[in-house]
């Protein structure tokens, strides 16, 4: 019986690979922005995971196949606990930076601390019923490499996803070749050394084990109640055990490092000398002014390693959404970091420059096509001055650099750099093809509400035809977020598709004692047109329990 099963399994594998590998497994095609390829049906069936979903967002120029490799950086975006990968396709804008974005769905989050839905004990490493996160990502990376995606690998994770980024990086090796991580609002675990299923389930990096060096950008809130900056115990580790009628708090078993301890661990692992420079930066978190203290260890590190931590002072878990010196962490600061690591990274381009690119073409069309000698322009992030030739210096970056510097923000009009660097920018009279329009709508929510009744919840949901409900939550703000007296809050939700989908705006009062004891108002606009607007005070405000507005293509 055992043997039969094994043989049919092997036979299935052989038949499966002969039939399907050449057809569906061999390449990664590019897609339009906001429309990532869905690889769920080709990758997920071979995994034991219920919620498995894989979307791969491939910009033009990053497509690949087994024989024609791409060296665009590959960035995995890791959502927080109980969250999902839905919004990444609309928010990451990987097409602007020419990264391959991978949006993976975890099993109700990621198995980095005790979860009520686990079946085995945290120290049962052979358990096959609970998610083996590291094993999963090793398979996923192998899958992408087989499709010719050969670029450096980065992880960008929030909260539970930030915790996973530290865990995966702690097991970095030839199977899990992680170059850098951006971990938001989570530190390394101090304890335990290993947890949950898998061979490579270590929680801290180790030179003795051969963990590869990894660049780290960490963002933490000094007053985070969920993930305390000072480390130690957090209530997140206290769970209800479904199978037994009691709670287990895992105190003394699971512990967080403090923010700086986490950085020191990475510094020492990466062979940095541990010295750092602190600078203060102006920041905002949901429109509230804050200070971000930056701890930069990079000067004491080997030349291709960057280690930075931003600590948002007086800020809680929403430090993850900070805007520092006008640059949002999501994703300007994140991508600036990845660019830095890419520049320092010694990667061998897998496509050698072709002759035609290094020699000026002849022919009348190109007669006047030259770069202004001596012309220099300023780089967006570092502010360094570069000559025109820089644009073509790295064959893998030509199209990104042309997009960034040779054209105006609208992506069509030629910029000053484009005129002065005609040859490098490829703006020699040739007009640029118009990108296909993507009809993305924007929802603006403007809401004034006081904190006398702090049980209001604001939701935007999408109708899911497969469940016949508004089951797809796109946006949620509630309770703690409405925390200032008579506060004014503005939210922008990008990338809705009301021409093809149905949505619901919902403001509801959970305890049904009215929206507010005082007065308030809200306005919802879709692409600048008012969908619903209301002001309320006195008895009206106390009687309002919910406000709804359906919009889009609704049955
Ligand atoms: C940064 O700001 C904090 C809070 O105002 C202050 O305590 C700290 O000394 C400042 N650090 C530097 C390096 O300026
Ligand atoms: C608002 O009204 C409720 C009951 O109607 C009361 O319990 C609560 O204290 C009031 N809050 C304020 C800030 O007045
Ligand atoms: C609260 O905000 C509303 C709406 O903007 C405004 O009309 C009202 O005067 C404010 N109330 C107080 C007490 O500031």
């Amino acid at each position: 019986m055992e043997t039969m099963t094994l043989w049919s399994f092997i036979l299935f594998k052989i038949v499966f690979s002969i039939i399907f590998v050449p057809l569906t497994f061999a390449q990664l095609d590019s897609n339009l922005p906001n429309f990532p390829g869905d690889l769920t049906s080709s990758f997920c069936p071979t995994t034991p995971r219920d919620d498995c979903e894989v979307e791969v967002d491939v910009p033009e120029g990053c497509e690949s196949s087994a024989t024609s490799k791409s060296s665009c950086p590959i960035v995995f975006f890791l959502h927080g606990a109980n969250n999902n990968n839905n919004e990444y396709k609309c928010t990451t804008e990987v097409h602007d930076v020419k990264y391959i974005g991978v949006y993976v769905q975890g099993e109700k989050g990621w198995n980095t601390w005790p979860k009520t839905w686990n079946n085995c004990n945290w120290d049962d490493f052979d358990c096959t019923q609970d998610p083996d996160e590291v094993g999963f990502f090793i398979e996923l990376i192998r899958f992408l490499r087989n499709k010719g995606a050969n670029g450096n690998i980065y992880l960008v994770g929030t909260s539970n996803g930030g915790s996973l980024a530290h865990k995966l990086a702690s097991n970095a090796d030839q199977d899990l070749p992680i170059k850098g991580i951006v971990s938001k609002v989570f530190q390394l675990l101090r304890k335990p050394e290993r947890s949950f299923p898998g061979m490579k389930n270590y929680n801290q990096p180790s030179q003795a084990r051969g963990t590869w060096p990894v660049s780290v950008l960490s963002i933490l809130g000094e007053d985070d109640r969920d993930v305390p900056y000072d480390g130690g115990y957090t209530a997140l580790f206290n769970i209800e055990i479904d199978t037994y009628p009691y709670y287990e708090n895992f105190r003394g078993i699971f512990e967080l490092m403090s923010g700086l301890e986490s950085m020191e661990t990475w510094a020492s692992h990466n062979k940095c000398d541990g010295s750092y420079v602190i600078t203060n930066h102006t920041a905002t978190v949901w429109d509230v002014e804050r200070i971000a203290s930056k701890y930069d260890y990079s000067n004491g590190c080997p030349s291709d390693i960057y280690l930075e931590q931003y600590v948002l002072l007086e800020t809680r878990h929403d430090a993850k959404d900070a805007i520092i010196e006008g640059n949002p962490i999501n994703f300007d600061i994140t991508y600036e970091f990845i660019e830095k690591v890419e520049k320092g990274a010694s990667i061998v381009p897998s496509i050698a420059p072709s002759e035609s690119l290094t020699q000026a073409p002849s022919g009348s069309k190109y007669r006047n096509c030259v770069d202004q000698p001596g012309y220099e322009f300023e780089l967006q992030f570092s502010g360094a001055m570069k000559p025109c030739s820089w644009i073509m210096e790295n064959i893998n970056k030509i199209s990104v650099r042309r997009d960034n510097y040779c054209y105006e923000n609208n992506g069509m009009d030629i910029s000053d750099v484009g005129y002065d660097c005609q040859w490098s920018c490829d703006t020699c009279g040739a007009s640029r093809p118009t990108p296909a329009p993507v009809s993305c709508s924007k929802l603006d929510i403007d809401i004034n509400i006081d904190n006398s009744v702090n049980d209001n919840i604001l939701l935007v949901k999408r109708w899911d035809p497969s469940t016949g409900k508004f089951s797809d939550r796109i946006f949620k703000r509630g309770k703690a977020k409405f925390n200032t007296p008579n506060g004014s809050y503005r939210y922008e939700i990008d990338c809705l598709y009301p021409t093809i989908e149905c949505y619901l705006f919902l403001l509801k009062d959970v305890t049904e004692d009215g929206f507010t004891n005082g007065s308030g108002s809200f306005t919802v606009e879709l692409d600048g047109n008012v969908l619903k607007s209301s002001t309320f005070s006195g008895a009206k405000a106390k009687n309002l329990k919910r406000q709804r507005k359906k919009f889009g293509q609704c049955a």
Side-chain angles (χ1 to χ4, degrees):
M1 194 59 205
E2 280 288 315
T3 355
M4 275 304 294
T5 321
L6 182 63
W7 275 110
S8 30
F9 178 71
I10 291 172
L11 201 63
F12 168 78
K13 278 282 198 196
I14 293 170
V15 172
F16 193 77
S17 30
I18 291 171
I19 296 176
F20 294 104
V21 167
L23 298 177
T24 58
F25 279 17
Q27 64 186 49
L28 273 187
D29 295 326
S30 62
N31 55 270
L32 285 174
N34 308 337
F35 293 94
D38 189 348
L39 299 186
T40 305
S41 64
S42 52
F43 177 72
C44 292
T46 57
T47 74
R49 299 167 74 104
D50 297 336
D51 296 343
C52 179
E53 202 178 294
V54 180
E55 289 176 340
V56 181
D57 204 349
V58 185
E60 212 182 323
C62 295
E63 49 286 277
S64 66
S65 70
T67 50
S68 161
K69 314 273 188 200
S70 144
S71 57
C72 292
I74 302 167
V75 185
F76 290 80
F77 291 84
L78 310 171
H79 59 74
N82 293 315
N83 215 318
N84 57 50
N85 60 347
N86 289 354
E87 67 183 32
Y88 287 129
K89 59 173 174 281
C90 301
T91 55
T92 61
E93 300 185 334
V94 290
H95 289 253
D96 295 348
V97 283
K98 304 284 183 213
Y99 299 160
I100 295 176
V102 189
Y103 316 137
V104 194
Q105 175 73 56
E107 302 296 293
K108 306 184 193 74
W110 306 101
N111 211 2
T112 67
W113 68 72
K115 298 287 170 84
T116 51
W117 47 84
N118 273 343
N119 294 298
C120 308
N121 286 334
W122 66 271
D123 56 355
D124 179 358
F125 306 150
D126 298 326
C127 167
T128 53
Q129 299 163 57
D130 298 335
D132 164 3
E133 303 299 9
V134 180
F136 179 65
F137 278 84
I138 289 175
E139 286 304 317
L140 189 50
I141 288 167
R142 188 174 300 153
F143 174 81
L144 294 170
R145 290 285 195 239
N146 283 340
K147 288 170 174 289
N150 246 17
N152 288 318
I153 290 178
Y154 296 89
L155 313 172
V156 176
T158 304
S159 194
N160 195 186
S163 172
L164 181 65
H166 280 299
K167 175 156 189 149
L168 294 172
S170 296
N171 293 279
D173 64 4
Q174 69 281 357
D175 294 328
L176 200 63
I178 296 166
K179 195 88 206 165
I181 64 169
V182 178
S183 172
K184 286 167 281 180
V185 292
F186 224 98
Q187 304 93 285
L188 277 167
L189 291 180
R190 189 187 290 147
K191 285 183 185 178
E193 187 190 18
R194 301 176 65 184
S195 48
F196 307 115
M199 298 277 287
K200 300 181 186 177
N201 58 356
Y202 290 86
N203 293 318
Q204 301 87 28
S206 150
Q207 286 172 5
R209 266 193 352 260
T211 315
W212 285 12
V214 178
S215 290
V216 177
L217 170 62
S218 146
I219 291 110
L220 298 172
E222 186 196 32
D223 274 353
D224 196 322
R225 308 282 164 100
D226 304 304
V227 183
Y229 183 75
D230 291 338
Y233 183 72
T234 152
L236 286 177
F237 303 153
N238 183 1
I239 64 162
E240 187 180 351
I241 310 286
D242 282 347
T243 44
Y244 304 107
Y246 63 79
Y247 287 83
E248 182 158 353
N249 65 24
F250 294 93
R251 212 177 265 280
I253 300 175
F254 280 81
E255 243 172 53
L256 285 166
M257 289 190 191
S258 72
L260 287 186
E261 195 182 343
S262 181
M263 290 307 278
E264 277 158 19
T265 303
W266 280 117
S268 143
H269 175 70
N270 287 328
K271 299 199 160 78
C272 308
D273 64 16
S275 64
Y276 52 81
V277 179
I278 311 182
T279 47
N280 275 350
H281 302 263
T282 58
T284 57
V285 178
W286 292 106
D287 294 337
V288 180
E289 286 186 15
R290 299 287 188 212
I291 292 174
S293 286
K294 180 182 186 184
Y295 293 73
D296 193 341
Y297 292 71
S298 308
N299 263 340
C301 292
S303 64
D304 58 344
I305 293 288
Y306 292 88
L307 271 190
E308 299 171 9
Q309 180 169 76
Y310 285 100
V311 183
L312 274 295
L313 305 187
E314 299 175 76
T315 308
R316 295 191 191 175
H317 209 53
D318 52 6
K320 65 187 168 56
D321 300 317
I323 298 174
I324 299 170
E325 308 272 9
N327 299 310
I329 284 168
N330 308 317
F331 289 100
D332 293 22
I333 289 179
T334 295
Y335 294 166
E336 186 184 330
F337 183 77
I338 292 176
E339 275 310 297
K340 254 191 318 207
V341 179
E342 280 292 286
K343 276 180 201 146
S346 49
I347 50 162
V348 183
S350 53
I351 315 155
S354 71
E355 285 299 300
S356 62
L357 270 166
T358 50
Q359 284 173 13
S362 54
S364 58
K365 192 174 162 211
Y366 294 100
R367 196 159 294 153
N368 296 320
C369 186
V370 289
D371 290 340
Q372 279 303 329
Y375 175 80
E376 287 199 326
F377 60 95
E378 193 179 329
L379 294 194
Q380 285 160 7
F381 294 130
S382 65
M385 300 303 289
K386 295 286 177 190
C388 295
S389 59
W390 174 83
I391 292 166
M392 297 215 296
E393 217 168 79
N394 181 336
I395 188 88
N396 297 311
K397 303 240 167 110
I398 293 178
S399 65
V400 184
R401 288 177 180 177
R402 282 179 176 160
D403 284 351
N404 283 349
Y405 294 101
C406 301
Y407 296 89
E408 299 289 358
N409 286 339
N410 63 13
M412 314 257 284
D413 299 330
I414 295 171
S415 67
D416 290 349
V417 178
Y419 285 115
D420 283 313
C421 303
Q422 290 196 6
W423 162 241
S424 297
C425 278
D426 196 22
T427 48
C428 311
S431 63
R432 196 172 216 220
T434 316
V438 178
S439 52
C440 236
S441 288
K442 196 176 84 169
L443 194 72
D444 285 296
I445 302 172
D446 208 343
I447 174 162
N448 295 285
I449 205 157
D450 73 19
N451 67 348
S452 61
V453 184
N454 69 352
D455 49 8
N456 295 314
I457 292 187
L458 168 63
L459 286 162
V460 177
K461 296 175 163 190
R462 175 170 30 213
W463 180 264
D464 180 351
S466 72
T467 60
K469 288 183 191 151
F470 285 102
S471 47
D472 206 355
R473 194 172 81 199
I474 290 176
F475 184 84
K476 177 179 175 188
R477 288 290 174 270
K479 297 181 179 147
K481 294 280 163 56
F482 299 127
N483 58 2
T484 55
N486 209 29
S488 174
Y489 307 88
R490 312 189 72 131
Y491 304 109
E492 247 184 54
I493 305 168
D494 275 332
C495 203
L496 300 183
Y497 300 96
T499 51
I500 50 171
E501 290 184 316
C502 174
Y503 298 91
L504 175 70
F505 160 87
L506 179 62
L507 182 61
K508 75 175 176 187
D509 167 29
V510 179
T511 51
E512 307 227 313
D513 54 0
F515 275 172
T516 157
N517 289 2
S519 56
S521 64
F522 72 84
T523 303
V524 196
E525 290 181 3
L526 185 67
D527 292 333
N529 301 313
V530 176
L531 285 177
K532 193 172 176 97
S533 179
S534 178
T535 56
F536 35 84
S537 62
K540 186 181 173 198
K542 284 205 66 75
N543 288 329
L544 274 181
K545 312 255 153 70
R546 59 177 54 211
Q547 293 279 284
R548 300 159 52 94
K549 181 70 191 172
K550 273 205 253 181
F551 60 96
Q553 199 60 41
C554 301

